[in-house]
């Protein structure tokens, strides 16, 4: 079991993302509704238990910070013990069981959003190209600690770093 802290201080970059209006249209856009704070530990535990059917779990390894229109959740996954929240991978767990790693850290996630792609589009549709968003690109330029790369490069790298994420989630399910 990974030791985690109960750090729920919202990173400044996510607070800024929460102020951005994401437009979703049938022919494009990003289906993402960012939160202005992490879900509570209790909410996260309740959600994870219901999502997996495993009522022995707690949600300590996740910091949920947004959702799509169907209720799928974007979260920081505390997979790197001892590192700050901003260095943890971003994952998406969809309302119908979809799941995947979206970015290796918060900085890379900002570049993904700047490319006009969100967590749902990546995990459910394998979409790595969208309509670039100038406001999110500026936000990423201010907060990112990683160099700008395409969403495709970022997602491919992150999924290679955590190749068993889906199988690990399967193992939690009952």
């Amino acid at each position: 079991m990974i030791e985690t802290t109960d750090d729920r201080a919202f990173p400044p970059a996510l607070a800024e993302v929460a102020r951005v209006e994401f437009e979703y249209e049938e022919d494009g856009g990003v289906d993402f509704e960012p939160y202005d704070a992490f879900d509570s530990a209790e909410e996260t535990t309740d959600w994870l238990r219901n999502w997996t059917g495993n009522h022995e779990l707690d949600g300590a390894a996740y910091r949920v910070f947004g959702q799509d229109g169907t209720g799928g959740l974007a979260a920081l996954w505390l997979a790197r013990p001892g590192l700050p929240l901003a260095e943890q991978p971003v994952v998406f767990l969809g309302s119908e069981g979809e799941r995947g790693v979206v970015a290796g850290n918060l900085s890379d996630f900002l570049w993904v959003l700047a490319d006009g792609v969100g967590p749902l589009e990546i995990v459910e549709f394998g979409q790595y190209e969208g309509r670039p968003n100038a406001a999110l690109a500026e936000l990423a330029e201010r907060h990112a600690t990683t160099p700008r790369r395409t969403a495709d490069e970022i997602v491919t790298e992150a999924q290679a770093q955590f190749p068993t994420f889906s199988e690990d989630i399967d193992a939690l399910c009952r």
Side-chain angles (χ1 to χ4, degrees):
M1 183 91 190
I2 293 175
E3 284 186 39
T4 59
T5 64
D6 195 32
D7 181 5
R8 294 203 179 265
F10 212 54
L14 282 180
E16 278 196 53
V17 169
R19 293 191 291 272
V20 173
E21 186 174 334
F22 288 83
E23 295 183 26
Y24 181 73
E25 302 162 4
E26 290 299 317
D27 65 340
V30 176
D31 184 0
F32 183 56
E33 301 168 18
Y35 300 164
D36 59 7
F38 289 124
D39 276 352
S40 71
E42 295 79 19
E43 289 172 310
T44 303
T45 293
D46 186 52
W47 157 76
L48 186 62
R49 287 177 175 174
N50 287 314
W51 198 87
T52 62
N54 184 344
H55 294 281
E56 296 174 13
L57 297 175
D58 67 40
Y62 300 93
R63 299 295 182 272
V64 176
F65 65 86
Q67 68 179 44
D68 70 4
T70 67
L73 300 178
L76 292 172
W77 171 39
L78 298 156
R80 296 178 172 132
L83 291 182
L85 290 177
E87 296 302 317
Q88 303 297 337
V90 174
V91 297
F92 179 77
L93 297 144
S95 62
E96 300 299 319
E98 314 86 357
R99 71 280 192 152
V101 178
V102 175
N105 55 53
L106 181 55
S107 179
D108 283 347
F109 180 67
L110 297 176
W111 291 123
V112 168
L113 292 176
D115 262 7
V117 186
L120 168 75
E121 292 79 22
I122 288 168
V123 172
E124 188 168 337
F125 307 119
Q127 176 185 340
Y128 303 141
E129 292 183 23
R131 285 186 253 170
N133 182 308
L136 286 165
E138 183 197 319
L139 189 156
E141 287 168 3
R142 285 195 316 277
H143 291 281
T145 57
T146 56
R148 184 168 194 161
R149 297 179 323 283
T150 67
D152 182 42
E153 291 169 314
I154 290 168
V155 173
T156 300
E157 177 183 300
Q159 290 176 351
Q161 288 176 4
F162 302 98
T164 64
F165 177 73
S166 187
E167 291 83 6
D168 295 343
I169 292 293
D170 283 345
L172 299 176
C173 295
R174 301 293 177 252

